[in-house]
Amino acid sequence: MIRLDTISKQNGHQILFIEAAAALQRGEKVGLVGPNGSGKTTLFRMITGQELPDEGQVSVDRGVTIGYFSQDVGEMAGRSAVAEVMDGAGPVSEVAAELKELEVAMADPESADEMDDIIARYGEVQARFEELDGYALEGRAREVLDGLGFSAEMMDGDVGSLSGGWKMRVALARILLMRPDAMLLDEPSNHLDLESLIWLEQFLKGYEGTLLMTSHDREFMNRIVGKILEIDAGSLTTYSGNYEFYEQQRAVNEKQQQAQFERQQAMLAKEIKFIERFKARASHAAQVQSRVKKLEKIERVEPPRRRQAIAFDFPTAPRSGEDVVSLKGVHKGYGSRRIYDDLDFMIRRRERWCVMGVNGAGKSTLLKLVAGASEPDQGSVTVGGSVKMGYFAQHAMELLDGERTVFEALEDAFPQAGQGSLRTLAGCFGFSGDDVEKRCRVLSGGEKARLVMAKMLYDPPNFLVLDEPTNHLDMATKEMLIAALADYEGTMLFVSHDRHFLAALSNRVLELTPEGIHQYGGGYTEYVASIGHEAPGLRS
């Protein structure tokens, strides 16, 4: 259905693809993986025809419709979210727009003279709208938006008033409503809360077309795809199975390749030793020449490429008191909206609380109250003795000074630290070599998140308050963070929509629901087992 035939592509000095080949068949669900900058977005753009390969060919079967969701959603304003989503559904959206215009004209007293013509035209357009199943389309558009977390008010409000994250959801809804023959989804799991993520997972499982997607959420990827397409050093390799199988198979392949490499190196060393030893002896001249020719013909086995892995190293934090934070009789609201009424909550040393709740339940508000970034309207928030807090807020990345370099940002935060220790810190968080000289304004979302974490963790806190810490991290960085936090001996309070992160790190769950606040003594895995679903907004 979609074929990539010996494609080569270069961006500036960077070679992305060298005679790479792959094929996507009808109905396949494929995960696209590869290091940052390896060419995943370029591959999407070549399939959609927005870019051309330097060599080779990308071919799509005649009549195949493609829907492409990218992180660059463009400008949206002046229409409702529903209208914006329906606009992506092809001819029916144009008919819907004319129908709306005619309805406005029919209600306008100044159009009285033309009313007969307007009514006649309205009848024609309405018949065409019904023929295209337009009324069902609006219902489906609302269903998709509802699944992605939109309230009725947000669906009908001006899309221009929405934040960037919600506009991303509108752009995603357009593609989902379109139901093309093939969907290309570049990080669709970004900007979604857990409920919306699980809804999207179910939607894509039921989608019958071809799917090619990237995602930094391993659980999401695992549950949807049955095949992995890997970009590595210019080539495309296909693995049958989900992401977990791909990881296992890749490790097996690397181990086999390393063993082959070592065997060949030992054989080569033995042959070279023989040649060096006997090359001056006339009696062995024929044997030496034979072995030289043999070596020239041998196809060399390359050692497996080692991916650069970031290792977070947490210095041991000083021990806090047993009572880390106590909230007593806390009331908090915004205007007429009440978030908390008479909340009592205690966090003790080495507890790892994950906070669950639908959008607007008060997850970030609770973290702000605990971190002192927001004050309660009534009641008290008391931080215990010897508690040293590190707070990762969703807006923390916006507070970086865009003109400072990575190294200068660390120097500003720790003026007493030596250059060597700051460079080591930067290296632990993935900033090596010239990366430390990048200005903050050119950093990607993931790089900014890593820099904020480096600043937070250099002088180690014994209590971490983390609001969606993995939002912008790629899969490898996320794995390293999870591994480091698993060994962390302090206390944690966190919000995350990443189920792998939740399951690996929590030992307590605080669930915020309209019916009340519930505490669970086990981690996220036990919580799911006890309530029968993966998030508070879902019902079995």
Side-chain angles (χ1 to χ4, degrees):
M1 183 166 142
I2 297 172
R3 287 171 303 284
L4 307 161
D5 296 320
T6 57
I7 57 165
S8 297
K9 181 72 176 176
Q10 187 167 340
N11 276 351
H13 296 297
Q14 187 183 13
I15 296 170
L16 296 177
F17 298 102
I18 309 165
E19 296 187 350
L24 301 176
Q25 307 302 334
R26 222 170 263 280
E28 282 187 326
K29 293 183 171 68
V30 184
L32 180 63
V33 302
N36 281 347
S38 61
K40 295 188 290 292
T41 299
T42 301
L43 187 71
F44 282 141
R45 291 175 63 83
M46 286 195 292
I47 291 172
T48 57
Q50 292 169 271
E51 288 192 36
L52 295 173
D54 299 334
E55 293 174 20
Q57 189 175 10
V58 178
S59 52
V60 179
D61 286 354
R62 189 186 297 278
V64 167
T65 55
I66 294 177
Y68 173 39
F69 168 76
S70 74
Q71 296 294 302
D72 183 14
V73 298
E75 284 302 310
M76 290 184 189
R79 289 193 290 190
S80 69
V82 169
E84 192 70 44
V85 170
M86 288 173 66
D87 187 50
V92 69
S93 61
E94 294 163 25
V95 178
E98 187 178 354
L99 206 56
K100 282 271 193 314
E101 286 170 17
L102 290 166
E103 284 168 1
V104 170
M106 285 162 68
D108 184 359
E110 292 185 13
S111 303
D113 293 347
E114 308 161 47
M115 196 56 70
D116 288 346
D117 291 341
I118 292 171
I119 290 170
R121 179 60 185 157
Y122 185 80
E124 292 168 13
V125 175
Q126 190 177 39
R128 177 67 177 140
F129 192 60
E130 285 176 359
E131 187 184 312
L132 291 169
D133 206 16
Y135 290 108
L137 184 77
E138 181 169 340
R140 293 212 315 273
R142 288 182 181 277
E143 192 180 317
V144 170
L145 286 168
D146 178 64
L148 293 176
F150 284 75
S151 65
E153 187 182 356
M154 290 168 74
M155 289 182 204
D156 293 316
D158 186 343
V159 73
S161 65
L162 298 174
S163 68
W166 285 100
K167 284 179 179 172
M168 286 270 194
R169 296 190 195 204
V170 171
L172 177 59
R174 280 173 67 120
I175 305 299
L176 300 182
L177 182 69
M178 179 184 171
R179 283 198 174 243
D181 298 320
M183 272 200 262
L184 312 181
L185 304 181
D186 194 357
E187 291 295 342
S189 51
N190 275 5
H191 304 284
L192 297 183
D193 53 63
L194 188 51
E195 290 76 23
S196 301
L197 193 64
I198 292 166
W199 177 88
L200 178 60
E201 192 176 278
Q202 294 305 318
F203 184 97
L204 292 176
K205 278 182 183 177
Y207 168 64
E208 293 178 357
T210 300
L211 174 67
L212 179 66
M213 73 170 191
T214 62
S215 176
H216 290 155
D217 187 321
R218 64 181 294 139
E219 192 64 37
F220 180 71
M221 181 91 87
N222 263 338
R223 295 186 187 197
I224 294 167
V225 306
K227 184 172 166 181
I228 294 289
L229 183 61
E230 180 195 50
I231 305 175
D232 191 15
S235 64
L236 288 168
T237 309
T238 301
Y239 294 79
S240 292
N242 64 10
Y243 184 80
E244 197 171 329
F245 175 81
Y246 150 74
E247 272 196 320
Q248 293 166 355
Q249 194 58 46
R250 193 179 201 284
V252 168
N253 292 354
E254 282 187 355
K255 196 172 178 181
Q256 289 174 344
Q257 191 174 344
Q258 182 67 31
Q260 282 181 322
F261 173 73
E262 288 172 4
R263 279 198 302 272
Q264 190 180 67
Q265 289 301 302
M267 181 273 289
L268 292 173
K270 190 177 174 184
E271 293 294 318
I272 290 166
K273 189 177 177 183
F274 179 90
I275 292 165
E276 289 298 318
R277 185 177 173 190
F278 295 109
K279 65 182 178 183
R281 295 189 191 179
S283 60
H284 287 74
Q287 285 176 282
V288 167
Q289 282 305 310
S290 170
R291 294 195 182 200
V292 167
K293 285 177 183 174
K294 178 182 161 187
L295 287 188
E296 285 171 355
K297 289 177 184 174
I298 286 175
E299 190 175 332
R300 296 294 197 265
V301 175
E302 294 292 324
R305 282 183 289 274
R306 299 288 178 207
R307 294 264 173 97
Q308 185 185 359
I310 303 161
F312 296 120
D313 186 15
F314 281 72
T316 303
R319 178 177 168 141
S320 71
E322 288 302 314
D323 292 348
V324 175
V325 176
S326 171
L327 288 80
K328 288 187 178 169
V330 167
H331 292 252
K332 183 67 181 177
Y334 297 103
S336 60
R337 186 162 158 261
R338 305 307 304 157
I339 306 291
Y340 294 112
D341 280 309
D342 203 24
L343 169 65
D344 291 332
F345 177 48
M346 169 70 82
I347 301 174
R348 292 184 171 82
R349 190 174 77 85
R350 298 201 71 173
E351 290 181 339
R352 296 157 172 258
W353 287 91
C354 70
V355 186
M356 309 291 296
V358 297
N359 262 343
K363 300 187 296 291
S364 292
T365 299
L366 177 65
L367 269 58
K368 285 176 185 171
L369 288 166
V370 168
S374 180
E375 294 293 323
D377 300 334
Q378 290 177 48
S380 64
V381 179
T382 307
V383 177
S386 304
V387 170
K388 187 177 175 188
M389 192 185 306
Y391 176 40
F392 183 94
Q394 288 192 47
H395 68 275
M397 295 181 292
E398 297 161 23
L399 303 179
L400 293 170
D401 183 341
E403 293 309 309
R404 305 295 279 168
T405 66
V406 168
F407 192 76
E408 287 168 347
L410 293 174
E411 272 190 321
D412 294 345
F414 309 109
Q416 304 303 316
Q419 286 217 354
S421 65
L422 289 184
R423 286 191 180 276
T424 301
L425 172 69
C428 283
F429 284 84
F431 298 103
S432 56
D434 293 341
D435 288 342
V436 294
E437 301 306 326
K438 283 183 179 177
R439 295 203 184 278
C440 290
R441 59 179 157 78
V442 304
L443 298 180
S444 68
E447 287 172 325
K448 286 179 181 175
R450 295 206 310 265
L451 177 54
V452 170
M453 281 181 192
K455 288 171 69 176
M456 181 177 70
L457 297 168
Y458 177 67
D459 189 10
N462 51 32
F463 178 38
L464 289 175
V465 180
L466 309 174
D467 195 355
E468 295 285 6
T470 64
N471 256 7
H472 298 275
L473 301 183
D474 63 31
M475 222 166 313
T477 310
K478 206 182 285 188
E479 288 298 323
M480 294 300 167
L481 179 62
I482 289 171
L485 288 175
D487 294 332
Y488 172 67
E489 294 186 357
T491 306
M492 289 172 63
L493 175 71
F494 62 93
V495 173
S496 176
H497 67 251
D498 188 294
R499 285 161 289 181
H500 180 48
F501 189 88
L502 291 169
L505 298 174
S506 60
N507 61 21
R508 301 281 189 285
V509 175
L510 185 72
E511 182 190 52
L512 312 177
T513 73
E515 294 78 40
I517 294 170
H518 310 286
Q519 299 185 21
Y520 295 84
Y524 176 73
T525 304
E526 292 82 2
Y527 161 79
V528 172
S530 67
I531 67 169
H533 45 261
E534 295 186 298
L538 303 174
R539 291 294 170 257
S540 300

